[in-house]
Amino acid sequence: KNQVEQSPQSLIILEGKNCTLQCNYTVSPFSNLRWYKQDTGRGPVSLTIMTFSENTKSNGRYTATLDADTKQSSLHITASQLSDSASYICVVIVSDRGSTLGRLYFGRGTQLTVWP
Amino acid sequence: DTEVTQTPKHLVMGMTNKKSLKCEQHMGHRAMYWYKQKAKKPPELMFVYSYEKLSINESVPSRFSPECPNSSLLNLHLHALQPEDSALYLCASSREAGARGYGYTFGSGTRLTVV
């Protein structure tokens, strides 16, 4: 079972609408959680980074929330644009320096399509 | 400079060819990584270099050979690849391996096709 689960797997919305993507994780010990945007055939680009003590973080039209107690995060996109069409990946980084050295735990991503 | 630069962006190679992928960063990061990503799947870690030393090899076949000539450069040498090795190869760097991902940055990737 994947330790980082994202939903929905895919989403289609109309331009200008808002949407929320979900991420649930079981990875521990938790250090920080990141949301990345990945265009097809390109590398992931960081949108937000949230540590244990942060509940909300915004980056332009992107707002991420984190509930470390329930191990849930969400990414809210407001006023969607055609260029928002991409895969959105939730990534959890652990704080253990042992066998998890250098490892990121990836969700499978939510494929967002914005239609005009 | 806050980027990880990968070259080439696209590569088509035959199964008998030898080629190399290159990755460069000038952020002073001491950890560098190679990932393989198949379509619609998350990236899979291949190798981790920490202070120019190989610290993690995720049981990657020997036809993939990493090299870290210095703290800014990371190469991936390819030889006798199979068609199923076709994928997006991503390089990443971070301040230090295990430092909770501080400064973790991905390159734009090399799209590799093996024919």
Side-chain angles (χ1 to χ4, degrees), chain A residues 6 21 34-49 59 61-62 64 75 77-91 106-114, chain B residues 37 43 88 90 104-109:
Chain A
Q6 291 188 244
L21 314 180
R34 298 154 186 243
W35 284 94
Y36 285 89
K37 177 186 179 186
Q38 186 174 24
D39 293 310
T40 301
R42 306 281 293 177
V45 175
S46 180
L47 297 175
T48 62
I49 302 172
N59 177 6
R61 294 181 296 104
Y62 303 102
L75 180 69
I77 305 174
T78 58
S80 61
Q81 301 175 358
L82 299 179
S83 59
D84 291 335
S85 295
S87 178
Y88 290 82
I89 305 173
C90 176
V91 178
F106 291 85
R108 293 187 180 278
T110 291
Q111 183 64 47
L112 175 67
T113 302
V114 181
Chain B
Q37 187 177 22
L88 180 68
L90 294 167
Y104 216 106
T105 305
F106 285 92
S108 294

Side-chain angles (χ1 to χ4, degrees), chain A residues 59-79:
Chain A
N59 177 6
R61 294 181 296 104
Y62 303 102
T63 299
T65 66
L66 174 65
D67 185 334
D69 292 330
T70 61
K71 299 187 177 181
Q72 296 179 328
S73 177
S74 66
L75 180 69
H76 186 72
I77 305 174
T78 58

Side-chain angles (χ1 to χ4, degrees), chain B residues 11-19 63 78-83 85-86 112-115:
Chain B
L11 178 63
V12 179
M13 61 184 291
M15 289 188 284
T16 59
N17 292 158
K18 286 185 181 180
K19 297 286 184 182
R63 57 185 184 270
L78 313 173
H79 173 55
L81 294 193
Q82 304 296 312
D85 295 322
S86 298
L112 174 67
T113 303
V114 181
V115 298

Side-chain angles (χ1 to χ4, degrees), chain A residues 32 34 38 43 101 103-104, chain B residues 37 56 58 100-101 104 108:
Chain A
N32 60 82
R34 298 154 186 243
Q38 186 174 24
L101 185 71
R103 292 179 193 279
L104 275 60
Chain B
Q37 187 177 22
I56 293 178
E58 290 287 349
R100 305 182 186 188
Y104 216 106
S108 294

